[in-house]
Amino acid sequence: MRWLWFALGWLMLALGAIGALLPVMPTTIFLILAVACFARSSPTFERRLLAHPRYGPALRLWREQGAVTRKGKCFASAGMALGFALFCWGAHPSLTLLLAVGAGFAASAAYVLSRPAPRARPLGSSALD
């Protein structure tokens, strides 16, 4: 079973890397899933993701507090809005598909926006404490 979690971790990491390059695909959610998979299969890769200079702080914040920064909420919402606009423009969906995809984006945005803001850390503590 451990190899399955490891493979899923790499799949999520690959999807996150693709998301970092494409404006309409998310990154952080796939990295959160990758950390969860690696926690069950490879503590080394889990630590490497949590210590990553760019994505580590957001991943640790999610793990420790279930929180999303205001900047993260703005980028996620803007990305979903852009993705929906590009979907409408490029796919010319039927009304049913348009409403279904719109409802999915709206539910996802509502979830992200409903996450708490990060709590302030006491002075002198680090994000790795």
Side-chain angles (χ1 to χ4, degrees), residues 26-99:
T27 301
T28 307
I29 187 62
F30 289 117
L31 296 181
I32 288 170
L33 292 170
V35 167
C37 291
F38 287 139
R40 291 164 178 80
S41 63
S42 174
T44 302
F45 284 109
E46 176 191 23
R47 278 191 304 275
R48 287 183 70 184
L49 277 176
L50 292 173
H52 190 276
R54 181 172 186 157
Y55 298 109
L59 296 172
R60 289 188 306 270
L61 188 60
W62 178 260
R63 175 177 273 183
E64 295 165 5
Q65 301 180 22
V68 178
T69 64
R70 180 178 294 162
K71 180 180 174 183
K73 291 177 184 183
C74 289
F75 273 105
S77 299
M80 285 184 252
L82 176 63
F84 185 68
L86 290 174
F87 169 72
C88 292
W89 175 73
H92 307 291
S94 67
L95 181 60
T96 305
L97 184 58
L98 178 74
L99 292 175

